[in-house]
């Protein structure tokens, strides 16, 4: 047939083309000669004259195709009829076979007449050739239930498992019987003859899968499972609908084609048949449906589909923005989506106060005593402050919800929606991106392999604090790579802790001294000595070449040939802004400073704002910048929240940052503090109140930026008081002020052990004036008063 068809497709275009050509020739001849031209009729439909042989081939092929098709049709019909007849004969003899092999079990039989009558009625109503088993043969309510829902679910795989005595007998047909007749699994009485058998076959493709119920002989319509030697066990499902209506009963255990009732057929007939079994055995059906109903109980949606204010990131900037939004719009509904499993918390105590706590359970409580002795938690607010994410849409008065443990992986700016890592989508009206950053790592460590990475901490989150605290209790030596704010703070914290144990703490950095990129060289060297007094072994001008694991020790090889052995490494080498959403959102990333490029109002788009470490903003006084400090996160987040509610304010506020090298040495800074800039330092002798501890006692809070940022806009400039002549003792930098200049204008200020004077420093930078004598300017900070 296929050959004939392909030949036909090839010859048909030729015949049409030849016929058309003939007609054209006739017309042309008539026009040229003016008279009719006779064209042989034989050539009109097949081509030009001389094509008689092709016509004969064509006729022969068509005839052969017709003959082959007729023969194939006849053989197919006769084969189907023969198989159908054999199947009916086998079905009619099946009840006797079952009665001879079935084990005698005292079970009450349902009336055969009722069973047959119902089955006949169902078959009559069905248009499908496959007759589904009817529940009418099900046992009466007083009869034992053939199979529990669990047992029936397990039946497909456990075809040879013995059936308990109290359950209907599950008969396993002998292998010979199952093999000789693919229809053997059918244990039902033969239905009314059907003209066209179902395509579902037990073992042969053509046979019709007639699925009948087990007649009266098997009173207990237990799932008669016929174990065939073939991998597809022919399991006759129990006609009794104890757990599921007739459609499920006939489905064969294995997904193999041996199942009497094809899944599709069962699905099609499940609905009409389910109504009947409900009357036959209401109790059993109720049980079977009950169990799945409990599991399928729909839960409340965990993720709201829409959030008027969507904040991406769960850090300080997001919390500050949420608080600002709620202050200006009390009914606002704010959703915070964060990768971390924690509620919003402050990060500075992770490298400062928590390490000086006397509470052994500090890693669990995350509460600490500030320098002023007051205790507080690192969390901004307790869990009761927030509402559940699924309740946000229905909250009458709005609120702030935190969706933790979720990551935004795609942002559709035009569609105003985001996609989470579980493919959930959330639409928004206004969005804030406050994704912060991720700690950088050294390439030498990344190349060292997984074992070295397991012994390396990239300090950033609560989990990092907990793991490093555990390491400090177990390891004999810890090496901190990095001499910036974080590295120096951790070095001092671990160094002081080492005095209580035999822990060896080392700190290495490429600069000549601690904070070498921020402090002028003389002050950096002085700070280094203070760090050494805390019990830290400082290794300056150290460039890491490679890191290897040898004899259960990490070996850090420096470029100058020095070798340092340690148990654990803490990499504190900076932060990389998280701009993963830039590509999908089409947002600009600054090529010089990194981070999302925004305007002075922190806007990246008309309804998208960026705040915190990830924002590269335009400072109206100092130009484009990106700042990675807690206070900046507070200020920028608060400003973004205000602008999201229509304030349209520019970022004019100069944020500050602070660092404490223990309870006795600390500093606050503002503006651009870069050791490569020219600096002027004015120092005085420190007193007992010139320490971080004393500063927190006076301000009442250890997070100094919180009080500062709340008062910045209204704080008056501190007035200067008459001061004695400047007395700067050599190598005694107890307290003082360091000015950073650019084009003779002050662009940055560090207050060294001088606290609660930040409004003065902020005004000096805001004015942007040249100062002939910075000693006079330093008097504004009252560093000389007793």
């Amino acid at each position: 047939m296929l050959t004939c068809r392909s030949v036909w497709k090839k010859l048909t275009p030729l015949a049409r083309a030849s016929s058309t050509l003939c007609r054209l020739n006739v017309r042309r001849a008539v026009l040229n000669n003016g008279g009719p031209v006779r064209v042989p009729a034989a050539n009109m439909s097949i081509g030009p004259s001389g094509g008689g042989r092709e016509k004969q081939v064509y006729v022969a092929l068509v005839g052969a195709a017709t003959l082959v098709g007729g023969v194939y049709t006849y053989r197919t019909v006769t084969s189907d009829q023969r198989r159908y007849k054999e199947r009916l004969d086998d079905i009619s003899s099946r009840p006797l076979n079952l009665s001879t092999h079935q084990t005698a079990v005292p079970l009450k039989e349902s009336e055969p007449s009722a069973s047959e009558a119902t089955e006949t009625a169902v078959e009559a109503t069905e248009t499908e050739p496959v007759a589904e088993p009817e529940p009418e043969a099900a046992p009466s309510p007083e009869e034992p239930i053939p199979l529990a829902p669990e047992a029936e679910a397990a039946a497909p795989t456990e075809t040879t498992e013995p059936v308990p005595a109290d359950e209907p007998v599950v008969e396993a047909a002998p292998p010979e019987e199952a093999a000789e007749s693919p229809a053997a699994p059918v244990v039902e009485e033969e239905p009314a003859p059907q003209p066209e058998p179902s395509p579902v076959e037990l073992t042969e493709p053509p046979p019709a899968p007639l699925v009948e119920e087990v007649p009266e002989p098997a009173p207990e319509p237990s799932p008669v499972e016929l174990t065939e030697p073939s991998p597809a066990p022919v399991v006759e499902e129990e006609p009794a609908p104890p757990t599921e209506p007739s459609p499920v009963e006939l489905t064969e255990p294995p997904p193999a084609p041996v199942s009497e009732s094809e899944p599709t057929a069962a699905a099609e007939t499940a609905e009409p048949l389910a109504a009947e079994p409900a009357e036959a055995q209401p109790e059993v059906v109720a049980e079977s449906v009950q169990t799945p109903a409990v599991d399928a109980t729909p839960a409340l949606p965990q993720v709201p589909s829409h959030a008027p204010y969507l904040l991406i990131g769960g850090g300080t900037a997001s919390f500050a923005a949420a608080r600002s939004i709620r202050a200006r719009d009390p009914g606002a509904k704010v959703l915070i989506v964060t990768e971390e499993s924690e509620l919003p918390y402050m990060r500075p105590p992770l490298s400062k106060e928590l390490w000086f706590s006397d509470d052994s359970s500090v890693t669990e409580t995350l509460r600490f005593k500030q320098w002023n002795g007051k205790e507080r938690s690192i969390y901004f607010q307790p869990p009761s402050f927030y509402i559940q994410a699924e309740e946000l849409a229905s909250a009458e008065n709005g609120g702030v919800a935190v969706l933790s443990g979720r990551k935004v992986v795609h942002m559709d700016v035009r569609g105003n929606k985001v996609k989470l890592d579980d493919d959930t989508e959330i639409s928004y009206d206004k969005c804030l991106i406050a994704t912060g950053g991720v700690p950088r790592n050294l390439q030498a460590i990344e190349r060292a392999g997984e074992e070295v990475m397991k012994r390396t901490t990239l300090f950033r989150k609560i989990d990092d604090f907990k793991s490093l605290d555990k390491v400090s209790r177990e390891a004999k030596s810890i090496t901190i790579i990095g001499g910036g704010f974080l590295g120096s703070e951790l070095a001092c914290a671990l160094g002081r802790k080492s005095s209580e144990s035999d822990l060896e703490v080392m700190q290495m950095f490429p600069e000549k001294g601690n904070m070498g990129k921020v402090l002028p060289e003389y002050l950096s060297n002085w700070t280094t000595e203070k760090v050494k007094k805390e019990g830290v072994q400082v290794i300056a001008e150290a460039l890491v070449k490679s890191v290897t694991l040898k004899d259960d020790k990490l070996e850090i090889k420096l470029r100058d040939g020095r070798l340092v052995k340690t148990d654990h490494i803490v990499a504190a080498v900076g932060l990389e802004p998280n701009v993963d959403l830039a590509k999908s959102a089409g947002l600009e990333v600054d090529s010089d400073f990194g981070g999302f490029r925004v305007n002075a109002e922190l806007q990246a788009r008309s309804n998208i704002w960026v705040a915190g470490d990830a924002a590269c903003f335009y400072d109206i006084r100092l130009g484009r910048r990106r700042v990675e400090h807690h206070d900046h996160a507070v200020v920028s987040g608060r400003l973004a929240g205000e602008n999201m509610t229509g304030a349209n304010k520019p970022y004019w506020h100069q944020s500050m940052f602070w660092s404490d090298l223990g309870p006795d040495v600390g500093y606050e800074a503002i503006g651009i503090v870069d050791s490569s800039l020219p600096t002027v330092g004015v120092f005085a002798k420190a007193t007992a109140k010139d320490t971080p501890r004393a500063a927190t006692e006076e301000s009442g809070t250890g997070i100094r930026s919180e009080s500062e940022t709340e008062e910045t806009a209204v704080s008056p400039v501190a007035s200067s008081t008459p001061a004695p002549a400047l007395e700067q003792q050599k190598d005694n930098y107890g307290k003082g002020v360091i000015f950073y200049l650019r084009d003779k204008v002050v662009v940055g200020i560090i207050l060294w052990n001088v606290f609660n004077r930040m409004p003065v420093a902020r005004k000096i930078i805001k004015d942007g004036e040249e100062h002939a004598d910075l000693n006079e300017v330093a008097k504004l900070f009252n560093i000389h008063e007793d």
Side-chain angles (χ1 to χ4, degrees):
M1 287 293 290
L2 294 176
T3 304
C4 295
R5 184 177 300 173
S6 60
V7 173
W8 169 265
K9 290 181 179 179
K10 292 180 180 180
L11 293 179
T12 300
L14 293 176
R16 291 177 180 171
S18 301
S19 179
T20 304
L21 183 61
C22 260
R23 292 191 183 94
L24 293 176
N25 290 336
V26 169
R27 288 182 183 178
R28 192 177 295 109
V30 170
L31 293 175
N32 294 337
N33 301 330
V37 178
R38 296 183 61 187
V39 179
N43 295 329
M44 287 296 291
S45 60
I46 61 174
S49 58
R53 177 175 178 77
E54 293 180 358
K55 180 176 181 180
Q56 292 174 1
V57 172
Y58 173 80
V59 172
L61 291 176
V62 172
T66 304
L67 180 60
V68 172
V71 172
Y72 178 82
T73 303
Y74 173 79
R75 293 187 60 183
T76 302
V77 172
T78 54
S79 175
D80 288 350
Q81 289 177 349
R82 175 177 56 80
R83 293 175 178 172
Y84 183 72
K85 184 177 179 181
E86 291 176 357
R87 186 176 183 79
L88 293 181
D89 294 341
D90 182 84
I91 291 174
S92 61
S93 63
R94 183 60 184 161
L96 294 177
N97 294 337
L98 282 176
S99 62
T100 58
H101 292 287
Q102 186 171 7
T103 306
V105 176
L107 297 174
K108 296 184 179 182
E109 301 182 359
S110 58
E111 280 194 25
S113 59
S115 172
E116 294 173 2
T118 310
E119 182 177 3
T120 306
V122 175
E123 291 174 356
T125 57
E126 305 240 356
T127 56
E128 292 291 332
V130 178
E132 299 296 327
E134 298 308 323
E136 57 279 6
S140 56
E142 66 273 7
E143 293 180 307
I145 298 175
L147 274 181
E150 299 85 348
E152 208 174 70
T157 56
E158 302 175 0
T159 57
T160 60
E161 182 176 352
V163 179
D166 59 343
E167 294 185 356
V169 176
V170 178
E171 171 148 33
E176 314 82 45
E177 185 177 340
E180 66 183 357
S181 163
V186 181
V187 189
E188 309 299 311
E189 67 175 344
E190 85 183 79
Q194 306 194 2
E196 198 168 349
S198 164
V200 183
E201 307 163 0
L202 291 179
T203 53
E204 305 175 10
L210 296 181
V211 179
E212 290 92 19
E213 287 186 336
V214 178
E216 327 70 30
E220 200 59 24
S222 63
V224 182
E225 304 175 354
L226 301 180
T227 58
E228 293 186 4
S230 63
V234 183
V235 179
E236 191 64 28
E237 291 266 43
E238 55 192 329
T243 55
E244 295 200 18
S246 53
V248 181
E249 298 164 2
L250 295 179
T251 49
E252 301 289 322
V258 185
S259 60
E260 275 292 287
S261 57
E262 188 174 16
T264 54
E268 294 172 2
T269 59
E271 305 260 347
L273 293 177
E276 299 178 8
E279 299 177 359
Q281 47 179 14
E283 297 178 3
V284 177
V285 173
E287 282 185 12
S288 61
V289 177
Q290 230 172 359
T291 303
V294 175
D295 298 337
T297 301
L300 290 174
Q302 296 297 318
V303 180
S305 59
H306 178 75
Y309 294 95
L310 177 64
L311 313 184
I312 304 175
T316 301
S318 277
F319 179 80
R323 189 165 54 183
S324 179
I325 292 171
R326 292 279 296 169
R328 291 176 55 88
D329 182 3
K333 298 177 180 180
V334 182
L335 177 63
I336 298 176
V337 182
T338 173
E339 290 184 57
E340 295 191 55
S341 59
E342 308 288 346
L343 295 175
Y345 62 91
M346 59 188 78
R347 300 189 190 276
L350 296 179
S351 59
K352 298 182 178 71
E353 292 89 345
L354 284 177
W355 289 100
F356 298 94
S357 174
D358 296 329
D359 186 2
S360 58
S361 62
V362 65
T363 55
E364 302 300 328
T365 63
L366 296 177
R367 298 185 64 84
F368 61 94
K369 285 186 178 180
Q370 305 172 83
W371 302 136
N372 60 3
K374 295 182 180 180
E375 187 178 85
R376 67 165 299 169
S377 170
I378 69 170
Y379 294 101
F380 289 110
Q381 292 291 345
S384 58
F385 173 82
Y386 308 93
I387 64 175
Q388 297 297 320
E390 58 266 24
E391 299 174 359
L392 183 63
S394 59
E396 183 178 354
N397 298 321
V400 180
V402 178
L403 192 62
S404 57
R406 303 291 182 88
K407 180 181 180 180
V408 176
V409 296
H410 185 273
M411 191 171 185
D412 182 0
V413 174
R414 292 186 176 180
N416 291 339
K417 60 183 179 181
V418 298
K419 181 185 290 186
L420 307 184
D421 49 5
D422 59 355
D423 291 335
T424 304
E425 290 188 348
I426 303 176
S427 59
Y428 61 84
D429 296 332
K430 297 180 180 180
C431 178
L432 171 69
I433 300 177
T435 50
V438 293
R440 290 194 185 100
N441 197 0
L442 294 175
Q443 293 184 356
I445 297 178
E446 292 178 343
R447 293 193 303 263
E450 184 178 354
E451 291 301 321
V452 172
M453 283 298 300
K454 288 181 180 179
R455 295 170 178 249
T456 302
T457 296
L458 302 178
F459 200 89
R460 176 69 174 171
K461 305 176 181 178
I462 289 179
D463 291 339
D464 301 327
F465 164 71
K466 292 181 178 180
S467 63
L468 185 58
D469 179 76
K470 182 179 179 181
V471 169
S472 67
R473 301 175 189 274
E474 300 173 353
K476 294 183 179 180
S477 62
I478 296 178
T479 298
I480 300 165
I481 302 178
F485 301 105
L486 179 60
S488 298
E489 289 172 0
L490 289 176
C492 289
L494 292 173
R496 177 160 295 195
K497 190 173 183 178
S498 67
S499 62
E500 305 171 359
S501 62
D502 58 351
L503 176 66
E504 181 185 15
V505 179
M506 293 174 283
Q507 182 187 15
M508 61 174 60
F509 40 79
E511 297 82 22
K512 293 182 179 180
N514 283 81
M515 311 293 299
K517 291 184 178 180
V518 176
L519 303 177
E521 185 176 350
Y522 63 90
L523 192 57
S524 172
N525 295 335
W526 185 87
T527 304
T528 302
E529 296 302 319
K530 294 290 289 186
V531 172
K532 289 180 180 180
K533 291 180 181 180
E534 294 291 340
V536 179
Q537 180 182 344
V538 177
I539 305 174
E541 298 181 285
L543 296 174
V544 178
K545 182 178 181 181
S546 64
V547 181
T548 57
L549 179 63
K550 185 176 181 182
D551 298 333
D552 203 34
K553 283 279 189 180
L554 293 176
E555 293 186 351
I556 306 174
K557 187 175 182 180
L558 305 181
R559 291 188 179 179
D560 58 6
R562 287 178 290 179
L563 184 66
V564 178
K565 295 184 178 181
T566 186
D567 292 329
H568 195 84
I569 292 176
V570 179
V573 292
L575 195 71
E576 193 70 29
N578 186 350
V579 292
D580 292 344
L581 293 176
K583 186 174 182 180
S584 62
L587 302 179
E588 183 181 2
V589 176
D590 191 87
S591 57
D592 296 327
F593 301 97
F596 296 95
R597 194 178 178 93
V598 295
N599 59 16
E601 289 78 27
L602 303 181
Q603 270 185 311
R605 291 287 187 276
S606 60
N607 64 336
I608 299 177
W609 288 259
V610 186
D613 299 342
C616 181
F617 61 97
Y618 179 75
D619 188 320
I620 57 177
R621 178 58 58 190
L622 302 176
R624 188 155 294 278
R625 305 173 61 200
R626 189 177 69 82
V627 181
E628 301 174 356
H629 295 293
H630 175 85
D631 187 68
H632 167 69
V634 174
V635 175
S636 63
R638 185 174 60 200
L639 178 63
E642 292 177 355
N643 289 341
M644 291 173 78
T645 54
N648 296 323
K649 294 180 180 179
Y651 190 93
W652 61 267
H653 174 80
Q654 287 297 325
S655 61
M656 55 87 70
F657 65 91
W658 84 101
S659 179
D660 295 334
L661 304 179
D664 299 326
V665 178
Y667 57 89
E668 298 175 353
I670 189 173
I672 301 176
V673 287
D674 187 342
S675 60
S676 63
L677 294 175
T679 62
V680 175
V682 180
F683 293 89
K685 187 176 181 180
T687 63
K689 64 179 182 179
D690 298 321
T691 62
R693 187 193 305 275
T696 54
E697 290 175 355
E698 182 178 348
S699 64
T701 174
I703 307 302
R704 297 196 290 277
S705 65
E706 286 187 342
S707 59
E708 290 291 341
T709 53
E710 297 295 337
E711 299 173 353
T712 297
V714 296
S715 294
V717 175
S719 60
S720 61
T721 58
L726 179 62
E727 295 181 5
Q728 181 171 335
Q729 300 179 8
K730 183 178 181 181
D731 296 338
N732 184 6
Y733 308 108
K735 66 177 180 179
V737 181
I738 301 98
F739 300 97
Y740 291 77
L741 307 176
R742 185 170 61 189
D743 298 331
K744 300 182 180 181
V745 175
V746 176
V747 294
I749 298 175
I750 284 184
L751 304 180
W752 187 261
N753 272 345
V754 176
F755 307 99
N756 302 322
R757 296 289 188 273
M758 192 51 63
V760 180
R762 186 171 285 115
K763 186 179 188 313
I764 292 174
I765 293 180
K766 183 179 179 180
D767 291 343
E769 299 176 354
E770 291 189 21
H771 297 278
D773 188 358
L774 290 175
N775 287 321
E776 293 297 323
V777 178
K779 295 178 182 179
L780 298 174
F781 297 94
N782 300 329
I783 63 173
H784 299 293
E785 66 183 8
D786 294 335

